[in-house]
Amino acid sequence: MAADVATADHDAVLAANRAFYRAFVERDLAAMATLWSEDGAVACIHPGWDVLVGRAAVLASWRDIFAQPTAIACRDARVLAHGDCACVICHETIGDGRGGGMLVATNLFVRQDGAWRLIHHQAGGVAPGAPAPPAAPATRLH
Amino acid sequence: MAADVATADHDAVLAANRAFYRAFVERDLAAMATLWSEDGAVACIHPGWDVLVGRAAVLASWRDIFAQPTAIACRDARVLAHGDCACVICHETIGDGRGGGMLVATNLFVRQDGAWRLIHHQAGGVAPGAPAPPAAPATRLH
């Protein structure tokens, strides 16, 4: 049934998003390299950085970031899906999450040969005092 | 030919992106409302804000932003395309562009009934001293 297919896609996208943060936490460059698309252009915008374009530049940035341990956790993941594209929007908590350590991220996945691969990531800080996000009782938006 | 179709899509996506910034500069809420998808979920992350989810919240944020004039210009637009999704990554220059007034943005469009509609926007600041972006001799990446 279409609903089952949509549920399976949604779950697969969230699994890919979890794999992204697992690679981040474990500083696993090989896993990170597998997650990023090898087919076509990719881009990445780390917080405060300018845009990085191309697989080589993006993976080099992760190698540099992995030189230092980062305590990062993903929560509140939501999926905006449209055909073979899925955009995951989530919070990233850095450190213990206090003292302004919350980011909000966009992770854009595309389906290639049955697997969801990243083509773009942007993360940026949420200013202290920013309005609270709406409740997210379910991660499914579409 | 496939190449012509791709070129037409690419041009149409960039036109939609220009229309987004034109609506922004002209504080044209009706035009902005037309640009955002009415079919399915949408989200928006303004610089420093938390994520806004849903068409009503997103359009309300633009109404609030439009209460004040903003000198904003888009440049260096690049397209990451994948089927009926197209992600435009660009710089946003605020004011005269000096004094840390540069942002980098992700605008995610999907094709619906032949038109490219926004389903997500994220913009964030580029820290002074961030590495310069790679040269962008062409806006086509994929």
Side-chain angles (χ1 to χ4, degrees), chain A residues 40-129:
Chain A
V42 299
C44 187
I45 304 167
H46 298 294
W49 296 35
D50 208 339
V51 59
L52 302 170
V53 177
R55 185 174 163 85
V58 170
L59 293 182
S61 76
W62 288 111
R63 187 186 60 229
D64 292 346
I65 288 169
F66 290 172
Q68 300 290 332
T70 302
I72 187 167
C74 166
R75 59 182 177 81
D76 309 326
R78 304 162 182 270
V79 180
L80 303 180
H82 189 87
D84 287 336
C85 290
C87 176
V88 179
I89 301 162
C90 55
H91 289 114
E92 298 179 346
T93 307
I94 307 292
D96 62 5
R98 292 176 292 190
M102 189 168 83
L103 306 173
V104 61
T106 296
N107 298 321
L108 182 58
F109 295 87
V110 300
R111 182 160 38 198
Q112 294 173 334
D113 297 328
W116 291 96
R117 303 294 186 204
L118 271 165
I119 65 167
H120 182 52
H121 164 79
Q122 177 168 6
V126 177

Side-chain angles (χ1 to χ4, degrees), chain B residues 85-102:
Chain B
C85 289
C87 175
V88 179
I89 301 162
C90 55
H91 289 113
E92 297 178 346
T93 307
I94 307 292
D96 62 5
R98 293 175 291 189
M102 190 169 81

Side-chain angles (χ1 to χ4, degrees), chain B residues 5 11 15 17 24 26-27 33 39-40 43 46-47 49 51 69 74 90 103-106 109 127 139:
Chain B
V5 172
D11 292 348
N17 196 63
F24 199 157
E26 296 179 353
R27 297 189 283 164
D39 178 19
H46 299 293
W49 294 35
V51 59
C74 166
C90 55
L103 305 173
V104 61
T106 295
F109 295 87
T139 54

Side-chain angles (χ1 to χ4, degrees), chain B residues 114-142:
Chain B
W116 291 97
R117 302 294 185 205
L118 271 166
I119 64 167
H120 181 52
H121 164 80
Q122 179 169 6
V126 178
T139 54
R140 174 85 52 90
L141 288 183
H142 188 161

Side-chain angles (χ1 to χ4, degrees), chain B:
Chain B
M1 295 186 295
D4 289 341
V5 172
T7 300
D9 285 350
H10 182 266
D11 292 348
V13 169
L14 287 178
N17 196 63
R18 285 193 298 272
F20 170 68
Y21 286 100
R22 189 164 54 243
F24 199 157
V25 168
E26 296 179 353
R27 297 189 283 164
D28 184 339
L29 192 59
M32 187 62 88
T34 300
L35 283 162
W36 283 82
S37 171
E38 295 188 68
D39 178 19
V42 299
C44 186
I45 304 167
H46 299 293
W49 294 35
D50 208 339
V51 59
L52 302 171
V53 177
R55 185 175 163 85
V58 171
L59 292 183
S61 75
W62 288 112
R63 187 187 58 229
D64 291 346
I65 288 169
F66 290 172
Q68 299 290 332
T70 302
I72 187 166
C74 166
R75 59 183 178 82
D76 309 326
R78 303 161 183 272
V79 180
L80 303 179
H82 189 86
D84 287 336
C85 289
C87 175
V88 179
I89 301 162
C90 55
H91 289 113
E92 297 178 346
T93 307
I94 307 292
D96 62 5
R98 293 175 291 189
M102 190 169 81
L103 305 173
V104 61
T106 295
N107 299 320
L108 182 57
F109 295 87
V110 299
R111 181 162 36 198
Q112 293 173 335
D113 297 328
W116 291 97
R117 302 294 185 205
L118 271 166
I119 64 167
H120 181 52
H121 164 80
Q122 179 169 6
V126 178
T139 54
R140 174 85 52 90
L141 288 183
H142 188 161

